[in-house]
């Protein structure tokens, strides 16, 4: 089983790292787990999405005045100035604009007017930037220098735009003058952001693969200069999609080999947290005093989207924000609730296919790209990213899945299980992945363990079918001599085949022995064949009683019989069966003793020890001879109990575990508390008297008096105990334990014991 599991694990590991199959399957499994277990999050209270939706496109294009002032998509910067004014008035905490402004407007005054509004409102506003393989590299940024501010040299009178809806409205644009220009060093300082990685690993590179198949660097495309210094910061908004085109993760920071750049949400959060630098150390991302767990290898992390965009975040159409600005400008009441934006981060982005910003996420193949920015911002504000489990965890789960499959199918060998297990395994691993995502935001692989488990299952089934007939015949031949044939057939039919290589299991062991067998055998030293016939008769009698109760004959040691209950066939009632077998053997031997006395044979008085415990059972022996047996402390105690009957005058002595398992079905007498040789802990031993309800009244009285005397004995009141036992003995009922305890009381009266604790030492 270990071999099958190990081979299946190695094959799955090789497929994970050497073939594209699992790399295609794993993302699908991850997406399913993510949507199932992390897809019902409540609506965020920290982030609001202002959607450039179809309602906005239609509303502006159908309104002549709006179309004149703002044009068609992409709208003039004047529109964003009005939106910034309204969001500031509505109490927004900061604005993340999921788009780029890297081209000058045809009317340069629009750029300058937008920049002027941002300075006047002092609203934290962050704009995206993209990278390109054709962009000119910027020089190394000097982070000691202040962020440059691009200001026009002169100003001109403010032009007025008119807007007719119910009344005219003035649009106050910025100064109509030439857009200022900045040096490339100034641009580098404005766009780059300090990032350090203290674990010695490199930051992800901004690069692309050329037509020749070689990696080439990409560099930022600078925004229009008028916005530098007016916008609070710029961040990367390049698509970070996996090989299948799905946006599942982000990497926070990149380098083009010259400068370091951060993604747009990180740039926004750096200011909100007062961080002057982004630090990646091992598996930790740090901004100011806040940290988040990330993947230690490349500093990436998967996104906890929490559900589709429209369910996860409050969605406000851009046209509604613009209309509120118009109402507020007229002195009219705004339509949106007062707390819509107050104290929240606003993410502006396109949500309609007309904007051409539709991407794939684990929740939808047509999700707006702004969903990623909103998810990152929301997690940075208050949440956890999803990180990959350590490779050792994945490998361990893979091996456990393979081992469980091999063990289960190679031991159970049940056809319905063989059919259902592969499906159950995949579902179980899906559940494990989902629970890991839900409880610890950790991504545990599903595909690799599934492949290993299914591979091990196939190997186990092949092994089962190749060896089933041979093993069944071996079991039949091996156990038919030691168990009832019908039990062997039942064991094979129910596929409860024993593990011949050994296993730990709780069983009940039976030991019996003839009192004074050496003296017994001396009577036949002139006729050994008669001894063999008598001994065979005795062993057959005892064995038959045990086999009828479902026992498995372990061995004969001269006149001693060793029998196991609960192995090789599982028996939940093994202790009860052993007790019934012991009483049946005692009754059969009593009848045999009567027959032997009539024939003039020696007595075969038999003592029995029964004990239940976890023992190691299986095939033991040498290459020349081996047999199915059990070893362990439980077997040793059963043998000791059989011999201890002599000291207590009892016939059947049982251990504490046997009593605990069978006490509802048997009548016993508590004999004593004993300490086994080599052990420090004392255990209570009992004499098995009868099955429940079958104890004779006279014997019940004797047992009651014995228990009374035993309690006095343990209190070292030996004279009182002896008096109780003598009164019972005077009744004339012969009882071995009563006589033995009375002898001990008299002995201790004559020679008081030292450090008496009421426990007898049970020597070998």
């Amino acid at each position: 089983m270990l071999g099958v599991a190990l081979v299946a694990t190695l094959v799955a590991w090789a497929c994970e790292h050497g073939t594209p199959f699992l790399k295609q399957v794993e993302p699908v499994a991850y997406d399913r787990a993510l949507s199932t277990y992390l897809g019902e999050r409540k609506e965020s209270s920290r982030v609001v999405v202002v959607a450039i939706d179809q309602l906005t496109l239609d509303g502006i294009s159908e309104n002549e005045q709006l179309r004149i002032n703002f044009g068609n998509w992409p709208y003039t910067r004047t529109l964003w100035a009005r939106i910034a004014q309204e969001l500031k008035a509505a109490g927004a905490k900061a604005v993340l604009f999921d788009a780029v402004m890297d081209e000058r407007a045809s009317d340069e005054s629009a750029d300058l007017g937008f920049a002027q509004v941002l300075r006047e409102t002092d609203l934290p506003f962050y704009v995206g930037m993209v990278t390109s393989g054709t962009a000119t590299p910027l020089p190394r940024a000097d982070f000691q220098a202040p962020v440059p501010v691009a200001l026009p040299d002169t100003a001109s009178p403010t032009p007025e735009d008119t807007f007719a809806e119910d009344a005219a409205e003035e649009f106050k644009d910025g100064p109509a003058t030439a857009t200022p220009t900045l040096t490339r060093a100034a641009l580098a300082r404005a766009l780059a952001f300090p990032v350090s990685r203290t674990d010695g690993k490199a930051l992800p590179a901004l690069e692309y693969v050329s037509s020749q198949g070689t990696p080439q660097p990409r560099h930022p495309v600078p925004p229009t200069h008028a916005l530098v210094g007016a916008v609070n910061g710029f961040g990367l908004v390049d698509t970070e999609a996996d090989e299948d085109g799905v946006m599942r993760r982000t990497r926070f920071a990149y380098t083009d080999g010259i400068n370091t750049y951060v993604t747009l949400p990180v740039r926004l959060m750096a200011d909100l947290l007062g961080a002057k630098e982004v630090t990646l150390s091992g598996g930790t991302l740090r901004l100011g005093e806040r940290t988040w767990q990330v993947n230690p290898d490349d500093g990436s992390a998967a996104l906890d989207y929490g559900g589709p965009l429209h369910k996860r975040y409050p969605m406000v159409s851009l046209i509604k924000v613009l209309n509120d600005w118009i109402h507020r400008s007229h002195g009219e009441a705004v339509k949106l609730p007062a707390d819509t934006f107050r104290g929240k981060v606003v993410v502006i982005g396109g949500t309609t296919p007309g904007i051409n910003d539709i991407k794939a996420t684990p929740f939808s193949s047509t999700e707006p790209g702004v969903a990623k920015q909103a998810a990152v911002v929301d997690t940075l504000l208050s949440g956890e990213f999803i990180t990959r489990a350590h490779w050792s965890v994945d490998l361990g789960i893979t091996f456990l899945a393979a081992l469980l499959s091999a063990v289960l199918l190679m031991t159970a060998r049940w056809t319905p299980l063989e059919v259902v297990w592969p499906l159950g395994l995949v579902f179980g691993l899906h559940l494990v992945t989902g629970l890991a995502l839900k409880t610890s935001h950790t991504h545990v692989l599903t595909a690799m363990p599934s492949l290993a488990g299914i591979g091990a299952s196939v190997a186990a089934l092949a092994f089962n079918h190749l060896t089933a007939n041979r093993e069944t015949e071996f079991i039949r031949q091996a156990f038919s001599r030691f168990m009832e044939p019908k039990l062997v057939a039942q064991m094979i039919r129910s596929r409860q085949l024993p593990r011949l290589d050994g296993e730990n299991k709780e069983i009940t062991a039976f030991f019996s022995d003839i009192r004074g067998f050496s003296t017994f055998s001396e009577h036949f030293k002139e006729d050994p064949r008669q001894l063999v016939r008598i001994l065979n008769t005795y062993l057959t009698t005892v064995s038959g009683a045990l086999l009828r109760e479902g026992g498995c004959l372990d061995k004969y040691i001269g006149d001693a019989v060793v029998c196991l209950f609960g192995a090789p066939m599982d028996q939940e009632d093994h202790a009860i069966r052993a007790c019934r077998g012991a009483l049946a053997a005692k009754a059969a031997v009593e009848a045999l003793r009567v027959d032997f006395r009539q024939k003039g044979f020696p007595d075969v008085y038999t003592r029995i020890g029964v004990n239940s415990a976890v023992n190691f059972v299986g095939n033991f022996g040498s290459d020349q001879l081996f047999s199915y047996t059990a070893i362990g402390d439980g077997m040793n105690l059963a043998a000791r109990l059989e011999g201890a009957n002599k000291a207590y005058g009892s016939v059947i002595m049982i251990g504490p575990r046997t009593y605990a398992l069978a006490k509802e079905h048997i009548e016993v007498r508590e004999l004593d508390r004993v300490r086994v040789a080599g052990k420090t802990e004392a255990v209570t031993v009992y004499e098995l008297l009868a099955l429940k309800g079958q104890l004779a009244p006279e014997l019940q009285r004797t047992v009651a008096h014995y228990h009374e005397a035993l309690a006095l004995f343990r209190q070292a009141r030996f004279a009182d105990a002896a008096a109780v036992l003598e009164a019972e003995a005077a009744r004339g009922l012969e009882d071995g334990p009563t006589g033995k305890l009375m002898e001990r009381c008299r002995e201790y009266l004559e020679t008081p014991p030292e450090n008496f604790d009421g426990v007898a030492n049970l020597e070998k």
Side-chain angles (χ1 to χ4, degrees):
M1 294 176 191
L2 286 172
V4 168
L6 183 60
V7 171
T9 300
L10 293 176
V11 170
W13 179 261
C15 290
E16 171 68 20
H17 293 82
T19 64
F21 172 69
L22 290 186
K23 292 182 179 180
Q24 297 171 357
V25 175
E26 180 59 39
V28 176
Y30 169 79
D31 292 349
R32 180 64 60 86
L34 190 70
S35 59
T36 301
Y37 294 94
L38 291 178
E40 298 297 330
R41 300 271 296 282
K42 65 180 181 179
E43 192 174 75
S44 174
S45 61
R46 299 173 293 271
V47 175
V48 179
V49 175
V50 171
I52 309 170
D53 53 9
Q54 194 61 44
L55 180 64
T56 299
L57 298 182
D58 294 341
I60 293 178
S61 66
E62 294 172 1
N63 186 300
E64 182 178 358
Q65 189 60 51
L66 292 179
R67 190 172 66 253
I68 292 172
N69 289 328
F70 308 131
N72 294 318
W73 176 262
Y75 304 120
T76 67
R77 309 280 156 73
T78 306
L79 172 64
W80 305 118
R82 306 307 172 236
I83 297 300
Q85 289 174 329
E86 178 56 29
L87 292 176
K88 176 63 177 181
K93 185 176 185 179
V95 176
L96 183 147
F97 188 75
D98 185 26
V100 297
M101 294 183 179
D102 53 13
E103 294 183 359
R104 291 184 178 183
S106 56
D107 180 3
E108 293 183 351
S109 65
D111 287 345
L112 296 172
F114 181 32
Q116 178 180 320
V117 167
L118 290 179
R119 293 189 185 96
E120 291 174 350
T121 59
D122 197 29
L123 173 67
F125 202 100
Y126 299 84
V127 176
M129 64 178 176
V130 295
T131 58
S132 171
T134 59
T136 304
L138 295 173
R140 186 174 299 277
D142 179 10
F143 293 116
Q144 301 302 317
V147 176
V149 178
L151 293 174
D153 295 331
T154 61
S156 63
T158 302
E160 294 184 354
D161 296 324
T162 57
F163 170 76
E165 190 174 40
D166 294 326
E169 177 59 41
E170 294 183 352
F171 283 73
K172 298 179 180 179
D173 296 324
T177 186
T179 302
T181 59
L182 297 170
T183 65
R184 299 195 64 76
L187 284 173
R189 177 64 185 91
L191 302 184
F193 195 81
V195 179
S196 65
R197 183 143 195 183
T198 60
D199 55 9
K201 297 181 180 179
L203 289 173
L206 287 169
E207 59 185 18
Y208 71 100
V209 179
S210 67
S211 56
Q212 288 76 30
T214 59
Q216 299 293 327
R218 290 185 289 121
H219 304 285
V221 178
T224 180
H225 293 193
L227 299 183
V228 175
V231 169
N232 292 73
F234 299 90
L236 298 172
V237 290
D238 289 326
T239 301
E240 297 178 299
D242 290 346
E243 293 180 0
D244 58 358
V246 179
M247 295 190 304
R248 298 185 180 90
R249 68 198 75 249
T250 184
R251 287 183 172 81
F252 306 107
Y254 291 85
T255 180
D256 63 353
I258 303 173
N259 291 310
T260 54
Y261 303 93
V262 296
T263 58
L264 185 55
V266 173
R267 184 64 188 85
L268 179 148
M269 283 300 301
D271 283 354
L272 292 183
L273 296 174
K276 302 301 182 183
E277 181 183 38
V278 174
T279 304
L280 287 164
S281 177
T284 302
L285 166 70
R286 178 179 292 276
L287 282 174
E289 299 300 320
R290 288 283 305 278
T291 60
W292 297 264
Q293 293 301 116
V294 297
N295 294 319
D297 50 354
D298 60 356
S300 69
L303 304 180
D304 179 9
Y305 283 97
L309 178 69
H310 66 281
K311 292 184 178 180
R312 185 70 182 92
Y313 303 98
M315 305 287 292
V316 180
S317 177
L318 181 70
I319 191 68
K320 294 182 178 180
V321 181
L322 181 60
N323 287 334
D324 269 9
W325 175 81
I326 295 171
H327 293 315
R328 195 183 299 272
S329 300
H330 288 164
E332 300 172 358
V334 296
K335 302 296 184 181
L336 292 173
D339 61 346
T340 301
F341 302 112
R342 184 177 298 123
K344 301 175 183 178
V345 174
V346 179
V347 179
I348 301 176
T351 61
T352 180
I355 304 299
N356 197 29
D357 189 29
I358 301 300
K359 303 293 191 298
T361 72
F363 290 89
S364 173
S365 60
T366 57
E367 192 82 342
V370 72
K372 175 196 168 187
Q373 309 296 355
V376 177
V377 171
D378 192 52
T379 304
L380 289 173
L381 285 170
S382 178
E384 294 180 79
F385 292 101
I386 297 171
T387 56
R388 282 279 291 108
H390 192 267
W391 64 266
S392 60
V393 175
D394 291 327
L395 194 62
I397 293 176
T398 301
F399 179 74
L400 287 177
L403 182 62
L404 180 61
S405 299
V407 170
L408 194 63
L409 297 183
M410 293 172 74
T411 55
R413 299 186 182 180
W414 186 41
T415 301
L417 180 63
E418 294 173 351
V419 174
V420 173
W421 173 248
L423 296 177
L425 174 67
V426 174
F427 176 78
L429 289 171
H430 171 75
L431 181 63
V432 169
T433 300
L435 292 177
L437 287 172
K438 191 174 184 67
T439 59
S440 64
H441 277 67
T442 302
H443 173 203
V444 178
L445 292 183
T446 301
M448 185 173 74
S450 296
L451 179 62
I454 293 173
S457 299
V458 172
L461 292 179
F463 176 85
N464 289 347
H465 289 289
L466 288 174
T467 63
N469 293 335
R470 183 175 58 190
E471 191 174 53
T472 297
E473 186 58 30
F474 176 80
I475 294 296
R476 181 179 287 110
Q477 293 179 0
F479 289 99
S480 291
R481 293 174 296 166
F482 312 123
M483 296 174 63
E484 282 284 320
K486 63 180 181 181
L487 288 179
V488 177
Q490 179 184 345
M491 184 169 61
I492 295 173
R493 185 169 55 253
S494 62
R495 309 305 299 171
Q496 295 185 33
L497 303 182
R499 292 184 52 176
L500 301 182
D501 57 342
E503 62 181 324
N504 279 314
K505 65 186 307 184
E506 186 176 55
I507 63 170
T508 300
F510 170 100
F511 277 76
S512 71
D513 199 2
I514 297 175
R515 176 182 60 187
F517 181 71
S518 298
T519 305
F520 180 96
S521 60
E522 287 180 358
H523 288 79
F524 300 95
K525 60 183 179 180
E526 303 297 333
D527 189 4
R529 291 186 178 182
Q530 180 68 359
L531 174 63
V532 171
R533 285 192 292 270
I534 292 175
L535 188 57
N536 287 345
T537 301
Y538 167 81
L539 295 175
T540 299
T541 301
V542 175
S543 301
L546 299 174
L547 290 175
R548 282 190 290 273
E549 293 299 332
C552 173
L553 292 176
D554 182 347
K555 61 177 70 69
Y556 299 128
I557 309 173
D559 62 309
V561 179
V562 183
C563 185
L564 307 179
F565 291 84
M569 186 175 180
D570 290 338
Q571 296 166 327
E572 293 185 1
D573 59 343
H574 54 84
I576 302 171
R577 288 174 176 267
C579 290
R580 289 203 304 257
L583 291 170
K586 175 186 176 184
V589 169
E590 288 297 325
L592 189 63
R593 292 174 68 193
V594 173
D595 183 56
F596 277 14
R597 280 197 297 269
Q598 293 174 353
K599 294 179 180 179
F601 295 155
D603 191 11
V604 286
Y605 179 88
T606 300
R607 300 189 182 99
I608 297 171
V610 178
N611 186 55
S612 304
V614 175
N615 291 281
F616 192 76
V617 294
N619 271 334
F620 295 87
S622 65
D623 292 341
Q624 292 74 31
L625 178 65
F626 66 93
S627 64
Y628 187 83
T629 186
I631 59 174
D633 285 344
M635 297 292 290
N636 296 336
L637 181 56
R640 303 273 182 85
L641 295 180
E642 179 272 318
N645 281 295
K646 179 179 180 181
Y648 290 92
S650 54
V651 177
I652 306 174
M653 189 181 295
I654 66 175
R657 180 59 179 165
T658 303
Y659 172 69
L661 293 174
K663 62 183 178 181
E664 302 298 329
H665 302 270
I666 57 176
E667 301 282 358
V668 299
R669 177 201 333 237
E670 181 180 339
L671 286 173
D672 203 355
R673 286 179 55 78
V674 301
R675 186 179 294 111
V676 180
K679 301 291 183 180
T680 58
E681 183 180 356
V683 297
T684 303
V685 295
Y686 305 85
E687 180 186 16
L688 177 62
L689 300 173
L691 294 177
K692 199 70 172 181
Q694 298 182 12
L695 189 62
E698 285 297 316
L699 189 52
Q700 290 181 19
R701 179 177 175 180
T702 299
V703 170
H705 287 162
Y706 182 90
H707 286 161
E708 180 184 354
L710 182 63
L712 295 170
F713 173 81
R714 288 174 176 168
Q715 298 172 26
R717 296 167 58 185
F718 305 126
D720 295 338
V724 172
L725 295 170
E726 289 168 355
E728 177 61 28
R731 296 175 54 234
L733 181 63
E734 183 178 351
D735 181 61
T738 296
K740 293 292 184 179
L741 184 58
M742 188 163 51
E743 290 178 8
R744 292 169 65 192
C745 289
R746 291 170 177 169
E747 177 185 349
Y748 288 171
L749 283 172
E750 295 178 2
T751 308
E754 296 182 2
N755 300 322
F756 178 75
D757 60 358
V759 178
N761 291 318
L762 190 61
E763 303 295 342
K764 294 183 179 180

